[in-house]
Amino acid sequence: MSSAMYNKMWHQTQEALNSLLDKESQNITEPRRSQVFIFQTLATFYIKYVQIFRNLENAYDQIVHPQKRILIRKVLDGVMGRILELKNEMVNLELTEFHYFDDILQDLKLAPEQLDIPIPKYFLKEKLEIIKGREKILAQILADSGLDMSELKYPGKSIPLEEAIKLIQIAERARQGRLRAIFMKQIFLREYRAKQARLLGEKGADVGAAALHIQKVWRGFCQSKKTEKERQEEMVFLGMNPPPLFDEVSATIIQAEKVTCLRNEVQIKHEEDYKEAMVTIKGDLKVVEGPDMKENLQDQIRHWFIECRNLTGTFPDYPEVEEGGSAIIFSKKTPQQVIGDIIANQEEEEKSKRKKKKKKEKKAKKKERKRTKEKKKEEDEGWKMSPSVFLHTIEEGNNMYKDMWKDKDESWNFLQDYDPELIKEEKRKELESEIRLQVDELMRQELKNLKLAVNREKELLAKTGKKKGGKKAKKKKKGKKQKKGKDKDLTADRTIESLYKELVEEGLLIQALKVNLSDYIGEYSYLGTTLRHLSIEPMPSLLDVRQLIALYGVLPLGSAAVHENAPLVKSLLLAGPSGVGKKMLVHAICTETGANLFNLSAANIAGKYPGKSGLQMMLHVVLKVARQLQPSVVWIGDTEKTFYKKVPNAERTMEPKRLKKQLPKILKLLKPNDRILIVGTTRRPFDAELQSFCRVYQKIILVPRPDYASRYVLWKQIIQRHGGVVTNALNVSCLAKVTDGFTQGHIVQVVKGVLTERRVRAQTHKPLVALEFIPALSSMSPVYQEEEETFKDWYAKTPMGKKRALALKGENSGKAKDKGKKKGKEGKKEKKKK
C-alpha cells in the first residue's frame, strides 16, 4: 500500500469515528431499562471501536507525515482507553469476564477474527534501542555470574568409563548388524532374479502379451493420477481445499515487507527533520517577529494602565506569575473590552453584596427540593453509561482533524514531509508566552514606579502587608517538610544499575522468553450466546483468554496514557490445569510490551533475603527497579503456595507464605503512574485461602483445556511449525477428537517426539499419519471433566462468581414467573371457552 492509501484509510477511519461519537452522545442522554438491549449497545460500540483501533494502528505505523502521526497517536490512545472502559462496563453489567458476540457479529457481517485485539507496534518500535541495550546488559550479567542457561541446553552427566564403553559397543554392533542385513538382502534379491530368469527362459516369453500388460498398467496409473488431479482442482474450486502454494509466502508479500521497512526508514528521517525544524523555525521567528511582539505587548499593557487610572482613579494590581500574568487580562480581548469588564465587575460586586443575603435563604430551600427530585428520578430512570475519561480526548482529536486535515490541500507535499506553516502557528504561541514573561517582569516594575510616583504612602503600607504574609507562608512550609520524612529510601546510596545486577544475580529478575501473544493458538467459541440463552454457562475458549490478556495486560502496560486514565488493573490471576499455557501468557505480556520480568514465586525466593528486614529490603529493591525501568511484570508462579490454608510438612522449610501479608501492601503502593502488573499463575487454586487470595488478585481468569475447534487448529499449526506437512493422509479431525482432555503442552510434547529430523526428511515418500501420534499420547494422563468441574466450582465461590450466580438465579426466577403468568392466562381463556 502507498502512503496515499494509508491517508485514505485514516480519513475513512476518522469519518467512522465521528459517526460513532455522535451515536455515543445520543446514547448517553437516553436511559435504558432492558439488560439485553444495554449489553447489545455496549457490545456494538465495543466491536466498532476495535475496528477503528485496528485501522488507526495500521495508519499510525505506516503514515510518514510527522504532524499527522502526533494527532493519530492521540486519538489511538483515546480509542484504546475507550475500549477498556466499555469492557469494564460490560463486566459490571454481565458480572463475568467473558462475553460472546455471535449474534452481533452476524448483524454487522464481521468475521470472529476481526474481534481480535491488535497490539500496537509502537509499544516496541519506539523503545527498541532501550530494550536491546537492557537485554545485552542482562545477558552479560548472566554470563559473568554463570547463570546463563541458554548455553546449557544439554547438560552433560558424568558416566563411568565401563558404561561408556558398553554404549559404544552396542551402537557399533547395531551398525554392523544393519550392514550385514543389507548385504544378505542384496544376495537374496540377486538369487531370486536369476531363478525368475531361468523359469521364463524355460516357458518362452510372449512379447506381445507382456507389452499389453505393461500398457494396461501404465494407462490405469495415468488415468488414476488424472482423476486425482481433477478431484483436487474441483475441491479447490469449491473452496473445500486451499489452493496450491497457499502456505508459501508470495513474491508480492515479500515486496510489501520491503516497502514497509523502507517506509519505516523514511518515517524516522521525517521525524528527525521535524524535530530540527521545530528548533530552527522558532529561532527564526524570535529574530524576525520577536521585537514586534514585545513592543505590541508593552503598548497594550501601558494603554491598560492609563485607561484604568482614568476610569477608577487608581492603577490596577498586576496579575502574579502563578495566575498567568498579563495573559489573563488580554485573553482573546481588546484593551477597551478589558476596561469595560473591570467597570462592570465593580458594579456587579456592589449589587451582589446586597443580593447575597436574600439568595442564601432561597438556595437552602431549593437544595432540599432538588434532593427529593433527584431521588425520585434515580428510581424512575434506568441504566446510564458511566462518564468516560477518554471520550473528551477522542473528541479533541476528532475536532483537530476536522480543523486541520479534513479538507487540507496536500498536492504540494508529495513526500509527506512536515508542514512549516503549522509549526510556525504552534511556535508563535510558545514564543509569545516566553516574551510575555519577560514583558511582565518589565511592566510589573514600571507599574511599581508609577504607583510610587503617585502615592508613596499606600505603596509602603502594601509592602509591610506583603512582608507579614510572607512570614506566615514560610511557617506553613516547615510543617510540610516534617511530613515528608516518613517515607524512607532503604537504598538511597545505591544506583539502579547495581540494584538491577543484584536482582539478576539473585535470580529474582529473569529473562523473558521471546513469545508473541499470537503464538497462543486457539479458536473462538461459536455457541457462547446460544448456550447463555439456554442458561448454560459455557467454558471460555482459548482466544477469549488471549483477548483478556491483551486488554488487561498488554494495552495498559504498553501505553502510559491508557494506564493512567483507564480502569486500573493492578493484579491478574491465571488459574487452570497444568499445560494450558499460563506461563507462556506471562512471557507473552513481557515480549509484547518490552517489560522486565520479576519472579517472586515461593520456590524462587526461598532462602533469599532471610528475616523480616530481608523481606522488606527485597520488596523495596524489586519495586524500586520495577518503577524506574517500567513497564514491569511481577510474576508469582504456583501462587496458591503463598496463600496455603495449611502448609504441607515437606514445604515448611521453604516458608511459602512469606509474601502473604506483604502483597496487599504492595498493591496499595502502586499508583496509576506505575506501569507494574502483578501476575499470579496457579494449577491448584482450591488449596489457597479464598478470602485473602481474592483480596490480592483483582481479575481472575480461568484458562480452560482446549475444546475441539482449538485442538484442531493446534494440531495443524504445531505440526507445521515443527516441519511437518499436513496432507490428506493425515486425519487432523480424528486427532482432535481422540485428544479430548489433552492440553496444548501434551500436543507440543507429542509432536516434538514424533517429528524427529529423520522423520521430517522421510515425509516426501512417507506422509504423516494420525496413528503415529497415538502411542505417545497413550502414556500421558489427560485433564478429566471432573478436574475442570472443580475449577468451575472454585470460581463460583469467588466474588465475581457469586455475583454472577445470584444474577442468573434472579433471571431464572423472573422467567419462571413470566411462564406461570402465561399459563394462568391460557387456563382462564380455556375456561371461558368451555
Side-chain angles (χ1 to χ4, degrees):
M1 280 173 82
S2 64
S3 56
M5 289 294 286
Y6 281 108
N7 275 319
K8 191 180 178 183
M9 181 199 277
W10 176 43
H11 289 305
Q12 286 172 350
T13 308
Q14 283 291 156
E15 282 171 20
L17 182 63
N18 189 40
S19 63
L20 191 58
L21 287 169
D22 291 341
K23 283 177 186 174
E24 277 231 63
S25 60
Q26 288 169 15
N27 192 267
I28 288 163
T29 54
E30 295 172 12
R32 305 291 181 190
R33 288 181 182 279
S34 168
Q35 191 173 337
V36 177
F37 186 79
I38 294 161
F39 177 74
Q40 281 186 337
T41 52
L42 285 172
T44 308
F45 284 145
Y46 174 81
I47 292 163
K48 284 182 178 177
Y49 270 117
V50 169
Q51 306 313 308
I52 288 164
F53 176 34
R54 182 176 282 104
N55 291 337
L56 281 175
E57 198 280 316
N58 281 331
Y60 181 72
D61 187 52
Q62 293 301 315
I63 283 175
V64 294
H65 198 297
Q67 287 150 308
K68 284 180 184 175
R69 292 185 81 244
I70 291 164
L71 178 58
I72 294 167
R73 173 68 179 274
K74 185 182 181 178
V75 178
L76 180 64
D77 284 344
V79 169
M80 268 197 278
R82 188 66 189 135
I83 287 167
L84 292 175
E85 283 178 339
L86 288 167
K87 175 68 182 175
N88 192 50
E89 287 282 341
M90 288 191 289
V91 170
N92 293 336
L93 184 73
E94 284 210 313
L95 302 168
T96 177
E97 298 292 347
F98 299 99
H99 312 290
Y100 303 99
F101 312 113
D102 320 342
D103 48 349
I104 299 162
L105 285 172
Q106 205 170 350
D107 293 342
L108 295 171
K109 294 177 183 178
L110 294 171
E113 291 79 25
Q114 287 171 295
L115 262 181
D116 206 15
I117 302 291
I119 292 154
K121 297 174 191 75
Y122 80 81
F123 284 179
L124 294 175
K125 198 188 276 186
E126 289 183 2
K127 53 181 180 179
L128 198 62
E129 289 178 11
I130 299 164
I131 293 163
K132 281 181 179 177
R134 201 187 294 158
E135 281 175 358
K136 278 182 184 177
I137 294 161
L138 182 58
Q140 189 62 45
I141 295 165
L142 290 168
D144 293 344
S145 55
L147 295 167
D148 193 4
M149 300 305 289
S150 60
E151 293 176 7
L152 304 170
K153 282 182 181 176
Y154 307 104
K157 292 179 181 179
S158 57
I159 303 168
L161 185 65
E162 289 178 5
E163 282 186 34
I165 291 163
K166 276 183 182 178
L167 284 170
I168 293 163
Q169 282 178 342
I170 290 161
E172 181 58 27
R173 282 168 186 165
R175 190 185 68 81
Q176 287 178 5
R178 283 195 296 274
L179 286 170
R180 198 179 295 113
I182 290 162
F183 181 65
M184 292 304 291
K185 189 180 178 181
Q186 284 173 352
I187 292 166
F188 169 75
L189 287 169
R190 207 182 299 139
E191 286 176 358
Y192 180 75
R193 285 194 203 100
K195 190 179 176 182
Q196 288 293 318
R198 250 183 273 119
L199 285 166
L200 287 166
E202 286 170 12
K203 287 179 181 178
D206 187 355
V207 180
L212 193 69
H213 187 73
I214 290 162
Q215 279 179 352
K216 194 196 293 181
V217 171
W218 173 248
R219 282 175 181 167
F221 173 75
C222 287
Q223 188 58 44
S224 67
K225 283 284 178 188
K226 192 181 176 183
T227 309
E228 191 181 338
K229 191 181 176 183
E230 283 173 358
R231 192 186 292 118
Q232 282 176 355
E233 284 173 359
E234 188 182 5
M235 294 298 274
V236 169
F237 175 73
L238 292 168
M240 300 296 286
N241 282 347
L245 309 173
F246 180 72
D247 294 320
E248 288 186 18
V249 182
S250 67
T252 316
I253 291 167
I254 294 163
Q255 184 61 30
E257 284 174 1
K258 284 179 182 176
V259 171
T260 51
C261 290
L262 287 167
R263 199 180 278 119
N264 287 335
E265 287 171 17
V266 173
Q267 209 175 69
I268 293 159
K269 187 181 175 295
H270 283 194
E271 200 72 40
E272 287 170 0
D273 292 346
Y274 173 65
K275 283 173 183 175
E276 283 176 21
M278 293 274 275
V279 179
T280 53
I281 288 170
K282 190 180 177 182
D284 294 342
L285 282 171
K286 200 170 188 178
V287 173
V288 176
E289 296 180 17
D292 293 337
M293 278 185 187
K294 195 172 183 179
E295 279 180 25
N296 288 335
L297 286 168
Q298 283 177 332
D299 290 342
Q300 278 182 353
I301 294 162
R302 282 191 189 113
H303 185 64
W304 176 60
F305 290 166
I306 295 156
E307 289 292 331
C308 285
R309 169 75 177 160
N310 292 338
L311 290 163
T312 59
T314 55
F315 284 112
D317 292 326
Y318 207 94
E320 294 295 324
V321 179
E322 291 81 12
E323 292 170 358
S326 60
I328 290 174
I329 308 162
F330 300 106
S331 55
K332 297 177 184 178
K333 289 177 184 178
T334 60
Q336 291 170 352
Q337 286 175 327
V338 171
I339 293 151
D341 289 343
I342 290 162
I343 295 159
N345 287 333
Q346 285 177 351
E347 288 173 3
E348 280 176 15
E349 279 175 14
E350 289 173 7
K351 287 178 183 177
S352 62
K353 283 175 184 177
R354 294 168 192 169
K355 290 178 181 178
K356 269 182 184 178
K357 290 178 182 178
K358 292 178 182 178
K359 281 183 179 179
K360 278 180 182 178
E361 293 173 4
K362 288 179 181 179
K363 278 182 182 178
K365 290 177 182 178
K366 280 181 182 179
K367 279 181 183 178
E368 286 177 12
R369 288 171 190 170
K370 278 182 182 179
R371 281 172 190 170
T372 52
K373 282 179 182 178
E374 280 172 8
K375 283 178 183 178
K376 285 177 182 178
K377 276 183 182 179
E378 281 174 11
E379 288 170 7
D380 296 337
E381 283 180 6
W383 175 89
K384 268 192 178 183
M385 198 181 285
S386 54
S388 170
V389 180
F390 292 96
L391 269 177
H392 179 64
T393 55
I394 297 168
E395 281 166 1
E396 265 185 16
N398 192 41
N399 292 334
M400 280 173 74
Y401 162 77
K402 284 177 185 175
D403 297 340
M404 290 164 66
W405 299 106
K406 191 177 181 182
D407 302 315
K408 194 175 179 69
D409 180 25
E410 287 191 277
S411 55
W412 61 273
N413 193 4
F414 178 73
L415 295 172
Q416 288 290 290
D417 209 342
Y418 66 86
D419 189 339
E421 289 303 317
L422 289 173
I423 296 173
K424 280 179 184 177
E425 280 177 31
E426 189 185 332
K427 290 297 164 189
R428 264 194 201 100
K429 289 172 186 175
E430 277 183 33
L431 188 63
E432 193 179 334
S433 60
E434 285 173 17
I435 290 168
R436 192 179 285 280
L437 287 169
Q438 295 169 13
V439 170
D440 282 354
E441 284 177 20
L442 293 168
M443 298 313 290
R444 205 173 274 115
Q445 192 62 43
E446 194 174 310
L447 184 63
K448 277 182 183 179
N449 295 336
L450 283 167
K451 282 184 177 180
L452 280 166
V454 174
N455 196 347
R456 288 185 181 183
E457 286 178 10
K458 284 182 181 179
E459 186 63 31
L460 287 166
L461 286 167
K463 277 186 179 180
T464 53
K466 281 178 185 176
K467 282 177 184 177
K468 285 176 184 178
K471 283 176 184 177
K472 284 176 185 177
K474 283 178 184 177
K475 283 179 183 178
K476 285 178 185 177
K477 284 179 183 177
K478 283 179 182 177
K480 285 179 184 177
K481 282 181 182 177
Q482 287 173 353
K483 287 179 184 178
K484 285 181 183 177
K486 288 180 181 179
D487 300 326
K488 288 182 180 178
D489 188 355
L490 301 172
T491 53
D493 57 333
R494 292 183 63 184
T495 59
I496 289 293
E497 288 77 13
S498 66
L499 294 173
Y500 184 87
K501 190 178 179 183
E502 185 185 314
L503 288 173
V504 173
E505 287 171 350
E506 288 289 340
L508 298 178
L509 201 156
I510 60 171
Q511 200 163 15
L513 300 172
K514 292 287 175 191
V515 183
N516 291 319
L517 197 61
S518 56
D519 295 333
Y520 191 76
I521 307 159
E523 190 54 274
Y524 288 91
S525 178
Y526 293 99
L527 291 171
T529 310
T530 313
L531 290 168
R532 278 203 174 159
H533 284 319
L534 297 166
S535 300
I536 299 165
E537 190 59 30
M539 273 303 276
S541 70
L542 298 182
L543 282 196
D544 293 329
V545 173
R546 189 171 91 182
Q547 209 165 26
L548 284 184
I549 295 297
L551 289 167
Y552 294 149
V554 179
L555 295 188
L557 282 181
S559 172
V562 172
H563 194 274
E564 281 175 30
N565 300 309
L568 190 60
V569 177
K570 295 180 182 179
S571 54
L572 271 180
L573 176 68
L574 304 176
S578 58
V580 291
K582 299 184 292 294
K583 288 176 194 171
M584 180 187 172
L585 288 168
V586 174
H587 287 284
I589 293 169
C590 296
T591 306
E592 295 289 3
T593 57
N596 297 292
L597 181 59
F598 298 88
N599 184 0
L600 295 187
S601 305
N604 194 46
I605 62 168
K608 294 169 186 176
Y609 296 92
K612 281 186 179 179
S613 59
L615 182 65
Q616 196 179 350
M617 176 60 80
M618 179 185 78
L619 292 172
H620 168 76
V621 173
V622 167
L623 279 176
K624 190 175 180 180
V625 174
R627 276 198 185 103
Q628 287 289 325
L629 307 175
Q630 58 183 303
S632 299
V633 173
V634 178
W635 171 44
I636 305 168
D638 294 327
T639 189
E640 77 280 354
K641 292 180 179 180
T642 310
F643 301 92
Y644 264 144
K645 291 173 187 173
K646 190 181 178 184
V647 181
N649 293 328
E651 292 180 23
R652 276 184 183 172
T653 52
M654 195 171 76
E655 290 183 73
K657 293 172 83 171
R658 280 179 83 192
L659 287 175
K660 187 182 177 181
K661 289 179 182 177
Q662 299 298 326
L663 282 172
K665 292 176 186 176
I666 291 167
L667 286 170
K668 282 180 185 176
L669 290 169
L670 295 179
K671 295 169 186 173
N673 299 334
D674 303 324
R675 282 187 290 155
I676 300 167
L677 182 69
I678 295 169
V679 184
T681 56
T682 175
R683 52 189 170 181
R684 293 189 61 81
F686 19 84
D687 290 349
E689 193 184 314
L690 191 66
Q691 267 190 333
S692 51
F693 208 42
C694 294
R695 206 180 297 128
V696 168
Y697 291 108
Q698 197 178 338
K699 296 282 182 185
I700 297 169
I701 300 170
L702 272 186
V703 186
R705 55 182 190 166
D707 54 2
Y708 168 78
S710 293
R711 287 196 303 276
Y712 184 88
V713 177
L714 275 162
W715 274 111
K716 207 169 185 179
Q717 291 204 23
I718 290 167
I719 287 167
Q720 286 172 343
R721 284 184 187 188
H722 287 84
V725 179
V726 178
T727 59
N728 292 330
L730 179 64
N731 193 339
V732 182
S733 179
C734 175
L735 276 174
K737 273 281 182 192
V738 168
T739 52
D740 185 16
F742 288 91
T743 62
Q744 299 96 304
H746 290 135
I747 293 167
V748 170
Q749 201 177 328
V750 168
V751 171
K752 278 183 179 177
V754 172
L755 287 174
T756 56
E757 284 182 28
R758 189 178 174 188
R759 183 68 190 88
V760 170
R761 284 198 302 271
Q763 282 183 106
T764 49
H765 59 270
K766 189 185 176 185
L768 287 169
V769 184
L771 278 168
E772 292 180 66
F773 299 95
I774 303 302
L777 283 166
S778 59
S779 60
M780 295 175 181
S781 55
V783 177
Y784 294 104
Q785 189 70 36
E786 291 79 12
E787 191 176 341
E788 198 170 76
E789 288 300 322
T790 54
F791 276 98
K792 267 189 171 182
D793 295 340
W794 172 82
Y795 186 76
K797 292 172 187 174
T798 61
M800 183 69 82
K802 282 177 181 176
K803 285 176 187 175
R804 177 74 183 158
L806 283 167
L808 287 171
K809 276 181 185 176
E811 280 177 24
N812 292 336
S813 62
K815 284 177 184 176
K817 282 177 184 177
D818 291 340
K819 283 179 184 177
K821 284 177 183 177
K822 283 178 184 177
K823 283 179 182 177
K825 283 176 183 177
E826 284 171 9
K828 283 176 184 177
K829 283 177 183 177
E830 284 174 9
K831 282 176 184 178
K832 282 177 183 177
K833 284 176 184 177
K834 285 175 183 178

